[in-house]
Amino acid sequence: EAEVAQSPRYKITEKSQAVAFWCDPISGHATLYWYRQILGQGPELLVQFQDESVVDDSQLPKDRFSAERLKGVDSTLKIQPAELGDSAMYLCASSWLGNGEQYFGPGTRLTVT
Amino acid sequence: SQQGEEDPQALSIQEGENATMNCSYKTSINNLQWYRQNSGRGLVHLILIRSNEREKHSGRLRVTLDTSKKSSSLLITASRAADTASYFCATSTQGGSEKLVFGKGTKLTVNP
């Protein structure tokens, strides 16, 4: 069964350092999402792509976060510089349609020290 | 911002019992979805119910939707220890970018 791939699974970094996460969605899924999930909370959407275009990045802290999906397939989320408050699980998901069932990857657990 | 609010925040039951979780939301929706998350893992889609539907079933899962009360419930029948997880409702709202907005979740523990 096709799955959403994410790497790395775990990342520990010092504050003020740069960090990057990678996501490979299920083949053929045009919509890709990046979520941040703080412990004990539900996922919060950071950015949504339709193919290579950003559909929604209203909750993305653009002073330090950036996301790209250059060829409309895999995607990278970057944080520079990382802050202590960025410690969270970063989840990637993909779907056929913008408001349909979403398929999630295993996530990247980020710890900023 | 979180649109859905699940209730209760935590639920502990014995194997074989039924588990009911509720979700309330604030604005008109296109659909409402339920997801499960095992500890430290990604989310798994369980069921999607559209705004013009009132009830859906999938295996041991039953979801109801009451748009007049802006609420939904997820019933898991004959629970198993493997059902232990956090359960989230997520709404796709009308008129926006059709993104999903998740609630804070219900943590379900099924004791063997």
Side-chain angles (χ1 to χ4, degrees):
Chain A
E1 182 175 316
E3 295 181 341
V4 175
Q6 286 189 250
S7 67
R9 292 292 309 279
Y10 304 92
K11 180 70 177 178
I12 300 174
T13 190
E14 295 182 347
K15 64 179 181 179
S16 79
Q17 296 298 304
V19 63
F21 313 127
W22 177 80
C23 172
D24 191 13
I26 292 173
S27 177
H29 281 189
T31 311
L32 184 147
Y33 314 80
W34 283 102
Y35 291 90
R36 176 171 59 188
Q37 185 179 25
I38 296 169
L39 192 64
Q41 303 283 319
E44 178 184 30
L45 181 69
L46 292 174
V47 61
Q48 177 179 343
F49 289 93
Q50 182 70 27
D51 299 311
E52 66 274 11
S53 300
V54 173
V55 173
D56 188 330
D57 64 356
S58 57
Q59 299 302 310
L60 188 71
K62 299 181 187 62
D63 57 334
R64 298 185 300 107
F65 286 63
S66 63
E68 60 183 16
R69 193 184 183 197
L70 293 176
K71 297 182 179 179
V73 181
D74 59 337
S75 176
T76 301
L77 178 70
K78 297 178 181 177
I79 307 175
Q80 182 174 19
E83 296 180 353
L84 295 177
D86 295 332
S87 294
M89 175 78 88
Y90 290 83
L91 295 162
C92 178
S94 67
S95 71
W96 290 105
L97 300 170
N99 63 346
E101 173 183 351
Q102 294 186 17
Y103 295 80
F104 282 79
T108 296
R109 169 72 66 187
L110 173 67
T111 301
V112 182
T113 62
Chain B
S1 62
Q2 294 185 301
Q3 144 105 306
E5 289 289 336
E6 288 91 342
D7 171 61
Q9 291 186 3
L11 180 61
S12 182
I13 59 175
Q14 297 299 122
E15 254 187 335
E17 295 181 340
N18 296 340
T20 299
M21 289 159 267
N22 302 296
C23 170
S24 59
Y25 57 92
K26 297 173 184 172
T27 59
S28 296
I29 60 171
N30 286 323
N31 65 65
L32 185 145
Q33 303 179 33
W34 285 91
Y35 288 80
R36 184 188 74 225
Q37 184 177 36
N38 291 87
S39 181
R41 306 294 298 275
L43 281 75
V44 175
H45 182 268
L46 295 176
I47 200 163
L48 181 155
I49 187 165
R50 303 188 190 287
S51 59
N52 61 352
E53 297 176 311
R54 292 297 167 257
E55 187 171 314
K56 283 190 85 168
H57 297 256
S58 177
R60 294 184 296 111
L61 305 181
R62 172 176 169 258
V63 169
T64 61
L65 179 65
D66 186 335
T67 53
S68 67
K69 295 181 179 179
K70 292 186 169 59
S71 68
S72 174
S73 67
L74 170 67
L75 169 67
I76 304 174
T77 60
S79 63
R80 305 166 182 169
D83 295 328
T84 294
S86 291
Y87 291 81
F88 296 90
C89 70
T91 52
S92 173
T93 56
Q94 293 178 352
S97 65
E98 299 182 336
K99 67 184 181 183
L100 284 184
V101 179
F102 286 81
K104 294 183 179 180
T106 292
K107 185 173 176 60
L108 173 66
T109 301
V110 182
N111 301 299

